[in-house]
Amino acid sequence: MLVNGRELWAWRRWAISLAKLHQIEVREIDWLLQSISDLDRLTLRLESIGNEESIELEMSLDRLSILWLDRVEHNRPVQYLVGKTFWREFELIVSPAVLIPRPETEMTIDIALTKSNHTQQQGIWVDLGTGSGAIAIGLAATMPTATIYAVDCSAAALEIAQINATRLAVSDRIQFHHGSWWSPLPQIQGKVAGMLSNPPYIPSEEVLRLHPEVCQHEPHLALDGGSDGLAALRILVDTAPHYLQAGGIWLVEMMAGQGAIVAELLAQQGSYTDIEIIDDLAGLDRFAFARLRG
């Protein structure tokens, strides 16, 4: 749909006024506009859109206004409003059935690549709690000869993950399984080169204090890590040795501040070596890495 540049400029100014009134960052407006057009961030920041005779959008300004009011009045994440988000080089379909993939999680793929050797990158990799399928898809794209298994206990989430894999032409590289953690995968015990997971790690009481956009709309199943936030992490520490091969990689994302206790859990379990806590780009302890003893 073509809209006049001046009209879109006026719409953006209106949206900004609402954003400031409700303490919403202006970048959300620009992300929304970028997701339904070919506009770039610099053009939006310079507000040069007002000089354009026509700009192509995926929806009318009236529909866009309805979406923005939904964001402002109901704290609904913009990613759910447009049904997609951008993660690494991928455009992923998202819905309230899945957690919105975060930029910090992108590092999981880079760490896995750095820590694995060529032989491991041709082996079996598992994404436990796949959600939108982001990590499994990232692995399939960066390890083209690996076999990827993606598991989730939510059938609705798995459906989204499969849609994303199909859209991004990696569905033939990923096997999707419905179930809790390792339970659907008895056939690969002792054969896994690497396990990756972004499990629920937020303490139950803290989930209720998260920003309304998260607490009210994102699936608590993917957020709530039990009373201390470590319930899922303990399961992954205890069960992975049955599935990893010697030297196999154990890599999870965690909440900042959990690094020391997760490292202790890995050490106490006794099956791991090369235990390492890795910071994200903000300098926060975000990832725990280990290998299964050989």
Side-chain angles (χ1 to χ4, degrees):
M1 177 168 293
L2 294 178
V3 300
N4 179 270
R6 189 69 184 176
E7 291 178 346
L8 185 57
W9 175 86
W11 183 91
R12 183 174 180 272
R13 299 309 303 171
W14 167 79
I16 289 174
S17 67
L18 283 182
K20 290 180 177 178
L21 191 63
H22 291 83
Q23 298 181 319
I24 297 172
E25 295 186 24
V26 173
R27 64 183 176 85
E28 288 198 26
I29 301 167
D30 291 346
W31 185 94
L32 177 59
L33 290 173
Q34 285 178 269
S35 71
I36 62 166
S37 71
D38 292 328
L39 294 168
D40 58 66
R41 187 180 302 177
L42 181 60
T43 299
L44 290 165
R45 285 186 176 180
L46 295 176
E47 297 193 326
S48 57
I49 54 175
N51 300 322
E52 300 291 333
E53 284 191 15
S54 62
I55 297 171
E56 187 167 354
L57 302 180
E58 293 179 7
M59 63 184 67
S60 68
L61 288 182
D62 286 343
R63 175 60 182 161
L64 193 58
S65 297
I66 291 171
L67 291 184
W68 188 245
L69 286 171
D70 195 5
R71 165 68 185 95
V72 170
E73 295 174 359
H74 301 109
N75 300 305
R76 205 177 309 278
V78 290
Q79 293 91 339
Y80 289 159
L81 292 176
V82 296
K84 62 184 176 182
T85 193
F86 300 98
W87 190 82
R88 289 182 73 89
E89 68 269 34
F90 312 116
E91 181 182 286
L92 298 174
I93 300 297
V94 293
S95 81
V98 300
L99 197 70
I100 298 167
R102 268 49 174 192
E104 55 266 28
T105 307
E106 296 179 6
M107 278 186 64
T108 311
I109 306 300
D110 300 314
I111 296 168
L113 282 172
T114 301
K115 297 291 189 179
S116 59
N117 59 39
H118 179 68
T119 301
Q120 288 176 317
Q121 291 172 16
Q122 295 178 319
I124 295 174
W125 288 75
V126 178
D127 173 20
L128 296 180
T130 193
S132 65
I135 290 175
I137 289 166
L139 286 172
T142 54
M143 298 183 186
T145 56
T147 300
I148 316 296
Y149 289 80
V151 178
D152 206 288
C153 64
S154 166
L158 271 181
E159 184 178 353
I160 296 293
Q162 289 173 302
I163 290 171
N164 281 321
T166 298
R167 290 180 67 253
L168 295 166
V170 293
S171 59
D172 60 329
R173 305 270 326 288
I174 305 173
Q175 297 185 35
F176 294 93
H177 294 269
H178 182 220
S180 177
W181 307 120
W182 295 100
S183 62
L185 306 176
Q187 71 277 19
I188 58 172
Q189 288 190 37
K191 301 177 182 178
V192 177
M195 179 214 81
L196 276 62
S197 183
N198 180 14
Y201 50 66
I202 300 173
S204 301
E205 289 189 1
E206 290 190 32
V207 171
L208 302 177
R209 294 195 293 268
L210 294 172
H211 290 299
E213 293 85 351
V214 178
C215 179
Q216 295 175 11
H217 298 285
E218 297 203 58
H220 285 205
L221 183 66
L223 297 167
D224 192 335
S227 60
D228 62 358
L230 298 169
L233 287 157
R234 287 191 182 92
I235 292 172
L236 296 176
V237 168
D238 291 339
T239 56
H242 299 292
Y243 294 85
L244 294 173
Q245 60 187 206
I249 287 171
W250 189 95
L251 176 60
V252 302
E253 182 175 330
M254 61 192 174
M255 187 172 73
Q258 292 177 336
I261 190 167
V262 174
E264 184 179 353
L265 289 172
L266 287 163
Q268 288 178 347
Q269 205 282 335
S271 299
Y272 300 97
T273 185
D274 298 342
I275 298 168
E276 183 181 357
I277 302 303
I278 301 171
D279 291 348
D280 62 18
L281 295 178
L284 302 173
D285 54 339
R286 181 67 61 186
F287 308 96
F289 170 87
R291 296 184 191 276
L292 189 70
R293 292 187 183 277

